[in-house]
């Protein structure tokens, strides 16, 4: 069960948590009804994921559609655009974007303005009567997205979700296990033995460390098969870093279990840390765009380091020397959390 | 006689509640010491202190010659403990449990294997070697837990109500094991509320509301309280406070 449940989560989450634009519903308010405006609309319509569903003559109709949420984008072409273009060499257009989800709104906006400026360029060329083989001198931008060429959002999410799964498995299992012994009462039987505190904590750490690494291996295979996620870097580095990372997560889990008495308390505490760590660690939103204080807090967030490591090693192929900051951060956290767990564990109450 | 447990003016307080009220007693080497009292009299609190699971509020306690405050870990090397609540891992097999506890006490592998075979032979449980504890009858579990608690040949073994919930015959068999351990030189410190078991002890103390009300051999106690058996002795002592209140 500890294997297939997280894997189901991974497959579902990675497919679901995507920002990729699949389809943009669009409405057009064409008050110009000219050759140019028709050409522009046709240009949008020709792009597969733009779906020109409605055409109105009134801006208010387009706004109504936006309000009801049944369209993502309204393009408003004012009357006399073509004339203005010819006479004054410039004309205005309006884009109304449904920005309930700001991320997709930005994407829609940038796609659409790119289409319009493309159209614009062609218009200028035609107007100036210049043949296509001799365009006016201008700067051309050609893009190439490094590390994730096709901007496949799944490649961004898969390593992230995988780090979350490894984290949850490690933290919950180690924390629950020790507290379960408290609930059953067998912790007493251990406490009357001459076992050393660090021996006990290490004994509670190693099995879950191994299980979590297995889980990671399994998850990587699934990511490879289902999402074709590349692992550019070395597997040794990836697992070495994961092993280092797990010390801090398991250490924290064990520390929590030394200060709690029931499994419910552990659940509650784990949930608290987990939510903060994961959401702040940059699974959905880039850490760089978080406020200063949040970035500072992230220095004690093991998930933040591991999320970076996972993405860097899988997509970018980073080696150990590219990740010195992460290694230092995780080492400090691991030693701190484990020491806290050992220090806080009480054989005599 | 050599003292193996020395308790002097021991107090354990939980907030305003005094669980152990100035206890003073000694246990001698090799004896079977019965620690009696009604539920809530403070027996378990005292036994937990002696095992180093709980720190006393005040008083001097020495177990196996070591100070309970400063040399807790040395005490732990020299004692065995079997509680009423739990002793063995239910989801491990008989053999795995023996291996696990043997390992914790640092018994070398070869010796542990020999001990395991002997132990299972003695308990006639060879066939259950690879069975999970959870499926065993309670009487078997108790006998096994006791044997595991003395696997490392401790100087003292603490038994906290070891025979709860089993029939008299099983209890009698359990006591055979206790006698055997005692004959091997292990001091036995046992709490119980079965008065027939009290008769098997060399000496018994009877606790009531955190205090030791009586401590002597069963025979002497019966004489003092002019009773035919320990049951009557116990009832007289336990009823005294009620009489006081009235």
């Amino acid at each position: 069960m500890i294997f297939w449940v997280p894997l189901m989560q991974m497959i579902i989450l990675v497919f679901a948590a995507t920002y990729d634009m699949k389809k943009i519903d669009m409405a057009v308010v064409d008050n110009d009804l000219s050759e140019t405006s028709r050409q522009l609309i046709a240009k949008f319509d020709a792009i597969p994921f733009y779906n020109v569903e409605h055409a109105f003559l009134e801006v208010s109709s387009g706004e109504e559609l936006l309000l009801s949420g049944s369209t993502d984008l309204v393009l408003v072409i004012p009357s006399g655009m073509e004339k203005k273009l010819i006479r004054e060499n410039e004309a205005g257009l309006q884009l109304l974007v449904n920005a309930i989800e700001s991320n997709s709104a930005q994407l829609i906006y940038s796609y659409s303005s790119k289409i319009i400026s493309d159209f614009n360029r062609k218009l200028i060329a035609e107007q100036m009567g210049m043949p296509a083989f001799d365009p006016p001198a201008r700067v051309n931008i050609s893009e190439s997205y490094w590390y994730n060429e096709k901007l496949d959002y799944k490649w961004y999410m898969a390593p992230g979700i995988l780090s979350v799964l490894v984290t949850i498995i490690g933290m919950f299992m180690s924390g629950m296990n020790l507290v379960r012994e408290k609930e059953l009462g067998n912790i007493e039987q251990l406490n009357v033995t001459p076992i050393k505190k660090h021996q006990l904590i290490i004994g509670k750490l190693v099995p879950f460390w191994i299980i979590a690494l297995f889980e990671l291996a399994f998850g990587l295979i699934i990511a490879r098969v289902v999402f074709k996620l590349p692992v550019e870097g070395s597997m040794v580095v990836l697992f070495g870093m994961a092993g280092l990372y797990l010390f801090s997560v398991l250490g924290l889990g064990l520390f929590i279990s030394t200060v709690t008495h029931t499994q419910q308390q552990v659940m509650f505490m784990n949930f608290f840390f987990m939510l903060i760590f994961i959401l702040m660690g940059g699974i959905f939103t880039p850490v760089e765009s978080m406020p200063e204080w949040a970035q500072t807090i992230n220095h004690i967030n093991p998930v933040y380091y591991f999320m970076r490591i996972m993405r860097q090693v899988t997509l970018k192929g980073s080696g150990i020397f590219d990740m010195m900051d992460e290694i230092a951060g995780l080492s400090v956290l691991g030693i701190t959390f484990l020491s806290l767990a050992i220090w806080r564990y009480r054989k005599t109450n | 006689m050599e003292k193996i447990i020395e308790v002097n003016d021991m107090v354990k307080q939980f907030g305003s509640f005094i669980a152990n009220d100035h206890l003073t007693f000694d246990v001698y080497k090799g004896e079977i010491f019965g620690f009696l009292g009604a539920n809530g009299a403070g027996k378990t609190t005292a036994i937990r202190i002696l095992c180093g699971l709980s720190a006393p509020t005040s008083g001097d306690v020495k177990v196996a010659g070591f100070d309970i405050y400063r040399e807790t870990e040395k005490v732990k090397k020299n004692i065995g403990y079997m509680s009423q609540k739990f002793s063995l891992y239910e989801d491990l097999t008989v053999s795995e449990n023996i291996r696990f506890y043997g390992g914790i006490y640092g018994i070398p592998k070869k010796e542990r294997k020999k001990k395991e075979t002997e132990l299972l032979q003695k308990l006639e449980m060879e066939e259950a070697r690879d069975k999970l504890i959870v499926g065993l009858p309670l009487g078997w579990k108790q006998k096994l837990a006791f044997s595991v608690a003395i696997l490392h040949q401790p100087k003292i073994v603490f038994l906290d109500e070891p025979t709860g919930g089993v029939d008299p015959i099983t209890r009698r068999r359990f006591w055979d094991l206790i006698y055997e351990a005692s004959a091997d030189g292990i001091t036995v410190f046992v709490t119980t509320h079965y008065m027939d078991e009290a008769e098997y002890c060399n000496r018994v103390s009877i606790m009531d509301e955190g205090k030791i009300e009586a401590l002597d051999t069963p025979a002497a106690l019966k004489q003092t309280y002019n009773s035919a058996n320990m049951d009557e002795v116990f009832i007289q002592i336990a009823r005294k406070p009620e009489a006081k209140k009235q």
Side-chain angles (χ1 to χ4, degrees), chain A residues 11 15 27 39 48 56 65 79 91 118 123 154 164 190-191 206 211 238 269 300 305 309 338:
Chain A
I11 291 171
F15 273 122
Q39 274 178 11
F56 304 108
L65 217 56
S79 75
D118 242 29
L123 221 58
K154 292 195 278 297
V164 170
L190 291 176
N191 286 345
V206 171
I211 291 174
L238 189 62
M269 292 284 283
I300 55 163
Y305 293 113
I309 290 169
L338 272 178

PDB file of all heavy atoms in Angstrom, chain A residues 11 15 27 39 48 56 65 79 91 118 123 154 164 190-191 206 211 238 269 300 305 309 338:
ATOM      1  N   ILE A  11       0.602  10.162 -10.407  1.00  0.00           N
ATOM      2  CA  ILE A  11       0.087  10.176 -11.778  1.00  0.00           C
ATOM      3  C   ILE A  11      -1.067  11.172 -11.889  1.00  0.00           C
ATOM      4  O   ILE A  11      -1.131  11.983 -12.809  1.00  0.00           O
ATOM      5  CB  ILE A  11      -0.337   8.746 -12.192  1.00  0.00           C
ATOM      6  CG1 ILE A  11       0.925   7.882 -12.313  1.00  0.00           C
ATOM      7  CG2 ILE A  11      -1.106   8.786 -13.502  1.00  0.00           C
ATOM      8  CD1 ILE A  11       0.666   6.424 -12.490  1.00  0.00           C
ATOM      9  N   PHE A  15      -0.698  15.041 -13.869  1.00  0.00           N
ATOM     10  CA  PHE A  15      -1.546  15.338 -15.029  1.00  0.00           C
ATOM     11  C   PHE A  15      -2.508  16.485 -14.746  1.00  0.00           C
ATOM     12  O   PHE A  15      -2.823  17.278 -15.615  1.00  0.00           O
ATOM     13  CB  PHE A  15      -2.332  14.090 -15.449  1.00  0.00           C
ATOM     14  CG  PHE A  15      -1.569  13.216 -16.398  1.00  0.00           C
ATOM     15  CD1 PHE A  15      -1.311  11.884 -16.090  1.00  0.00           C
ATOM     16  CD2 PHE A  15      -1.085  13.721 -17.599  1.00  0.00           C
ATOM     17  CE1 PHE A  15      -0.596  11.079 -16.959  1.00  0.00           C
ATOM     18  CE2 PHE A  15      -0.373  12.921 -18.470  1.00  0.00           C
ATOM     19  CZ  PHE A  15      -0.123  11.600 -18.149  1.00  0.00           C
ATOM     20  N   ALA A  27     -14.101  35.495 -27.641  1.00  0.00           N
ATOM     21  CA  ALA A  27     -15.232  36.188 -28.267  1.00  0.00           C
ATOM     22  C   ALA A  27     -14.697  37.432 -28.959  1.00  0.00           C
ATOM     23  O   ALA A  27     -13.703  37.993 -28.524  1.00  0.00           O
ATOM     24  CB  ALA A  27     -16.261  36.567 -27.216  1.00  0.00           C
ATOM     25  N   GLN A  39      -9.400  39.792 -41.363  1.00  0.00           N
ATOM     26  CA  GLN A  39      -8.117  39.081 -41.465  1.00  0.00           C
ATOM     27  C   GLN A  39      -7.558  38.741 -40.091  1.00  0.00           C
ATOM     28  O   GLN A  39      -7.062  37.640 -39.844  1.00  0.00           O
ATOM     29  CB  GLN A  39      -7.103  39.938 -42.224  1.00  0.00           C
ATOM     30  CG  GLN A  39      -7.178  39.768 -43.725  1.00  0.00           C
ATOM     31  CD  GLN A  39      -6.194  40.681 -44.426  1.00  0.00           C
ATOM     32  OE1 GLN A  39      -5.323  41.280 -43.792  1.00  0.00           O
ATOM     33  NE2 GLN A  39      -6.333  40.791 -45.741  1.00  0.00           N
ATOM     34  N   PRO A  48      -5.032  26.487 -33.618  1.00  0.00           N
ATOM     35  CA  PRO A  48      -5.861  25.400 -33.090  1.00  0.00           C
ATOM     36  C   PRO A  48      -6.415  25.659 -31.677  1.00  0.00           C
ATOM     37  O   PRO A  48      -7.569  25.372 -31.433  1.00  0.00           O
ATOM     38  CB  PRO A  48      -4.909  24.205 -33.076  1.00  0.00           C
ATOM     39  CG  PRO A  48      -3.805  24.549 -33.989  1.00  0.00           C
ATOM     40  CD  PRO A  48      -3.730  26.036 -34.092  1.00  0.00           C
ATOM     41  N   PHE A  56     -19.755  39.619 -31.652  1.00  0.00           N
ATOM     42  CA  PHE A  56     -20.797  40.584 -31.291  1.00  0.00           C
ATOM     43  C   PHE A  56     -20.499  41.921 -31.941  1.00  0.00           C
ATOM     44  O   PHE A  56     -19.401  42.164 -32.449  1.00  0.00           O
ATOM     45  CB  PHE A  56     -20.838  40.806 -29.782  1.00  0.00           C
ATOM     46  CG  PHE A  56     -21.031  39.551 -29.002  1.00  0.00           C
ATOM     47  CD1 PHE A  56     -19.980  39.012 -28.276  1.00  0.00           C
ATOM     48  CD2 PHE A  56     -22.269  38.917 -28.978  1.00  0.00           C
ATOM     49  CE1 PHE A  56     -20.152  37.861 -27.542  1.00  0.00           C
ATOM     50  CE2 PHE A  56     -22.437  37.763 -28.243  1.00  0.00           C
ATOM     51  CZ  PHE A  56     -21.384  37.228 -27.524  1.00  0.00           C
ATOM     52  N   LEU A  65     -20.404  38.061 -21.371  1.00  0.00           N
ATOM     53  CA  LEU A  65     -19.859  36.718 -21.537  1.00  0.00           C
ATOM     54  C   LEU A  65     -18.699  36.483 -20.561  1.00  0.00           C
ATOM     55  O   LEU A  65     -18.560  35.423 -19.952  1.00  0.00           O
ATOM     56  CB  LEU A  65     -19.376  36.558 -22.981  1.00  0.00           C
ATOM     57  CG  LEU A  65     -19.587  35.193 -23.626  1.00  0.00           C
ATOM     58  CD1 LEU A  65     -21.047  34.794 -23.586  1.00  0.00           C
ATOM     59  CD2 LEU A  65     -19.083  35.223 -25.065  1.00  0.00           C
ATOM     60  N   SER A  79     -14.587  50.637 -34.215  1.00  0.00           N
ATOM     61  CA  SER A  79     -14.987  50.971 -35.590  1.00  0.00           C
ATOM     62  C   SER A  79     -13.982  51.982 -36.162  1.00  0.00           C
ATOM     63  O   SER A  79     -13.412  52.792 -35.439  1.00  0.00           O
ATOM     64  CB  SER A  79     -16.407  51.542 -35.616  1.00  0.00           C
ATOM     65  OG  SER A  79     -16.403  52.858 -35.128  1.00  0.00           O
ATOM     66  N   ALA A  91      -3.543  52.287 -34.956  1.00  0.00           N
ATOM     67  CA  ALA A  91      -4.912  52.074 -34.517  1.00  0.00           C
ATOM     68  C   ALA A  91      -4.903  51.282 -33.223  1.00  0.00           C
ATOM     69  O   ALA A  91      -3.969  50.544 -32.933  1.00  0.00           O
ATOM     70  CB  ALA A  91      -5.697  51.324 -35.591  1.00  0.00           C
ATOM     71  N   ASP A 118       2.427  40.073 -34.650  1.00  0.00           N
ATOM     72  CA  ASP A 118       2.758  39.366 -35.883  1.00  0.00           C
ATOM     73  C   ASP A 118       1.961  39.921 -37.042  1.00  0.00           C
ATOM     74  O   ASP A 118       2.496  40.225 -38.117  1.00  0.00           O
ATOM     75  CB  ASP A 118       2.355  37.888 -35.696  1.00  0.00           C
ATOM     76  CG  ASP A 118       3.551  36.979 -35.780  1.00  0.00           C
ATOM     77  OD1 ASP A 118       4.655  37.458 -35.425  1.00  0.00           O
ATOM     78  OD2 ASP A 118       3.378  35.819 -36.181  1.00  0.00           O
ATOM     79  N   LEU A 123       1.149  43.627 -41.754  1.00  0.00           N
ATOM     80  CA  LEU A 123       0.417  44.798 -42.237  1.00  0.00           C
ATOM     81  C   LEU A 123       1.380  45.891 -42.691  1.00  0.00           C
ATOM     82  O   LEU A 123       1.231  46.480 -43.758  1.00  0.00           O
ATOM     83  CB  LEU A 123      -0.443  45.324 -41.094  1.00  0.00           C
ATOM     84  CG  LEU A 123      -1.846  45.784 -41.450  1.00  0.00           C
ATOM     85  CD1 LEU A 123      -2.611  44.638 -42.089  1.00  0.00           C
ATOM     86  CD2 LEU A 123      -2.563  46.253 -40.204  1.00  0.00           C
ATOM     87  N   LYS A 154       4.519  19.178 -17.266  1.00  0.00           N
ATOM     88  CA  LYS A 154       4.605  17.917 -16.522  1.00  0.00           C
ATOM     89  C   LYS A 154       6.041  17.646 -16.078  1.00  0.00           C
ATOM     90  O   LYS A 154       6.279  17.077 -15.028  1.00  0.00           O
ATOM     91  CB  LYS A 154       4.070  16.764 -17.359  1.00  0.00           C
ATOM     92  CG  LYS A 154       2.563  16.852 -17.596  1.00  0.00           C
ATOM     93  CD  LYS A 154       1.977  15.557 -18.090  1.00  0.00           C
ATOM     94  CE  LYS A 154       2.142  15.361 -19.575  1.00  0.00           C
ATOM     95  NZ  LYS A 154       1.450  16.347 -20.401  1.00  0.00           N
ATOM     96  N   VAL A 164       7.594  15.673  -2.988  1.00  0.00           N
ATOM     97  CA  VAL A 164       6.551  15.741  -1.961  1.00  0.00           C
ATOM     98  C   VAL A 164       6.215  14.344  -1.446  1.00  0.00           C
ATOM     99  O   VAL A 164       6.101  14.116  -0.242  1.00  0.00           O
ATOM    100  CB  VAL A 164       5.283  16.428  -2.523  1.00  0.00           C
ATOM    101  CG1 VAL A 164       4.128  16.277  -1.564  1.00  0.00           C
ATOM    102  CG2 VAL A 164       5.565  17.892  -2.787  1.00  0.00           C
ATOM    103  N   LEU A 190      11.545  -0.745  25.839  1.00  0.00           N
ATOM    104  CA  LEU A 190      12.826  -0.323  25.274  1.00  0.00           C
ATOM    105  C   LEU A 190      13.559   0.596  26.249  1.00  0.00           C
ATOM    106  O   LEU A 190      14.777   0.551  26.363  1.00  0.00           O
ATOM    107  CB  LEU A 190      12.610   0.418  23.954  1.00  0.00           C
ATOM    108  CG  LEU A 190      12.109  -0.428  22.795  1.00  0.00           C
ATOM    109  CD1 LEU A 190      11.854   0.449  21.585  1.00  0.00           C
ATOM    110  CD2 LEU A 190      13.117  -1.519  22.462  1.00  0.00           C
ATOM    111  N   ASN A 191      12.786   1.418  26.946  1.00  0.00           N
ATOM    112  CA  ASN A 191      13.404   2.379  27.855  1.00  0.00           C
ATOM    113  C   ASN A 191      14.041   1.741  29.079  1.00  0.00           C
ATOM    114  O   ASN A 191      14.902   2.341  29.703  1.00  0.00           O
ATOM    115  CB  ASN A 191      12.381   3.423  28.294  1.00  0.00           C
ATOM    116  CG  ASN A 191      12.080   4.410  27.180  1.00  0.00           C
ATOM    117  OD1 ASN A 191      12.821   4.492  26.205  1.00  0.00           O
ATOM    118  ND2 ASN A 191      11.002   5.137  27.316  1.00  0.00           N
ATOM    119  N   VAL A 206      16.608   4.373  10.058  1.00  0.00           N
ATOM    120  CA  VAL A 206      17.135   3.630   8.910  1.00  0.00           C
ATOM    121  C   VAL A 206      16.064   2.914   8.071  1.00  0.00           C
ATOM    122  O   VAL A 206      16.063   3.047   6.852  1.00  0.00           O
ATOM    123  CB  VAL A 206      18.247   2.664   9.372  1.00  0.00           C
ATOM    124  CG1 VAL A 206      18.651   1.733   8.251  1.00  0.00           C
ATOM    125  CG2 VAL A 206      19.451   3.463   9.851  1.00  0.00           C
ATOM    126  N   ILE A 211      13.041   2.726   2.889  1.00  0.00           N
ATOM    127  CA  ILE A 211      11.739   2.660   2.211  1.00  0.00           C
ATOM    128  C   ILE A 211      11.540   3.896   1.333  1.00  0.00           C
ATOM    129  O   ILE A 211      11.118   3.796   0.182  1.00  0.00           O
ATOM    130  CB  ILE A 211      10.592   2.547   3.242  1.00  0.00           C
ATOM    131  CG1 ILE A 211      10.648   1.182   3.923  1.00  0.00           C
ATOM    132  CG2 ILE A 211       9.236   2.740   2.562  1.00  0.00           C
ATOM    133  CD1 ILE A 211       9.667   1.014   5.056  1.00  0.00           C
ATOM    134  N   LEU A 238      21.628  11.950  -7.620  1.00  0.00           N
ATOM    135  CA  LEU A 238      20.224  12.108  -7.247  1.00  0.00           C
ATOM    136  C   LEU A 238      19.908  11.350  -5.957  1.00  0.00           C
ATOM    137  O   LEU A 238      19.315  11.900  -5.020  1.00  0.00           O
ATOM    138  CB  LEU A 238      19.337  11.610  -8.385  1.00  0.00           C
ATOM    139  CG  LEU A 238      17.847  11.911  -8.246  1.00  0.00           C
ATOM    140  CD1 LEU A 238      17.610  13.402  -8.215  1.00  0.00           C
ATOM    141  CD2 LEU A 238      17.061  11.274  -9.376  1.00  0.00           C
ATOM    142  N   MET A 269       0.730  17.898  13.792  1.00  0.00           N
ATOM    143  CA  MET A 269       1.999  18.622  13.688  1.00  0.00           C
ATOM    144  C   MET A 269       2.619  18.420  12.305  1.00  0.00           C
ATOM    145  O   MET A 269       3.092  19.370  11.676  1.00  0.00           O
ATOM    146  CB  MET A 269       2.987  18.112  14.743  1.00  0.00           C
ATOM    147  CG  MET A 269       2.593  18.446  16.155  1.00  0.00           C
ATOM    148  SD  MET A 269       2.912  20.168  16.515  1.00  0.00           S
ATOM    149  CE  MET A 269       4.671  20.124  16.757  1.00  0.00           C
ATOM    150  N   ILE A 300      15.380  27.355   6.115  1.00  0.00           N
ATOM    151  CA  ILE A 300      15.231  26.218   7.035  1.00  0.00           C
ATOM    152  C   ILE A 300      14.162  25.257   6.526  1.00  0.00           C
ATOM    153  O   ILE A 300      13.624  24.457   7.273  1.00  0.00           O
ATOM    154  CB  ILE A 300      14.891  26.680   8.474  1.00  0.00           C
ATOM    155  CG1 ILE A 300      13.641  27.569   8.465  1.00  0.00           C
ATOM    156  CG2 ILE A 300      16.065  27.402   9.108  1.00  0.00           C
ATOM    157  CD1 ILE A 300      13.009  27.713   9.832  1.00  0.00           C
ATOM    158  N   TYR A 305      15.095  22.978  -0.608  1.00  0.00           N
ATOM    159  CA  TYR A 305      16.372  22.509  -1.163  1.00  0.00           C
ATOM    160  C   TYR A 305      16.168  21.307  -2.067  1.00  0.00           C
ATOM    161  O   TYR A 305      16.724  21.220  -3.159  1.00  0.00           O
ATOM    162  CB  TYR A 305      17.334  22.117  -0.035  1.00  0.00           C
ATOM    163  CG  TYR A 305      17.791  23.275   0.806  1.00  0.00           C
ATOM    164  CD1 TYR A 305      17.404  23.377   2.136  1.00  0.00           C
ATOM    165  CD2 TYR A 305      18.615  24.272   0.284  1.00  0.00           C
ATOM    166  CE1 TYR A 305      17.834  24.440   2.928  1.00  0.00           C
ATOM    167  CE2 TYR A 305      19.036  25.332   1.061  1.00  0.00           C
ATOM    168  CZ  TYR A 305      18.642  25.408   2.383  1.00  0.00           C
ATOM    169  OH  TYR A 305      19.060  26.452   3.148  1.00  0.00           O
ATOM    170  N   ILE A 309      16.924  20.568  -5.988  1.00  0.00           N
ATOM    171  CA  ILE A 309      17.838  19.499  -6.391  1.00  0.00           C
ATOM    172  C   ILE A 309      17.175  18.581  -7.406  1.00  0.00           C
ATOM    173  O   ILE A 309      17.746  18.276  -8.457  1.00  0.00           O
ATOM    174  CB  ILE A 309      18.267  18.687  -5.148  1.00  0.00           C
ATOM    175  CG1 ILE A 309      19.180  19.541  -4.271  1.00  0.00           C
ATOM    176  CG2 ILE A 309      18.949  17.400  -5.552  1.00  0.00           C
ATOM    177  CD1 ILE A 309      19.442  18.957  -2.910  1.00  0.00           C
ATOM    178  N   LEU A 338      18.098  15.856  13.668  1.00  0.00           N
ATOM    179  CA  LEU A 338      18.423  14.578  14.303  1.00  0.00           C
ATOM    180  C   LEU A 338      18.929  14.779  15.732  1.00  0.00           C
ATOM    181  O   LEU A 338      18.556  14.043  16.642  1.00  0.00           O
ATOM    182  CB  LEU A 338      19.467  13.828  13.487  1.00  0.00           C
ATOM    183  CG  LEU A 338      18.892  12.936  12.388  1.00  0.00           C
ATOM    184  CD1 LEU A 338      20.013  12.277  11.625  1.00  0.00           C
ATOM    185  CD2 LEU A 338      17.980  11.885  12.994  1.00  0.00           C
TER     186      LEU A 338
END
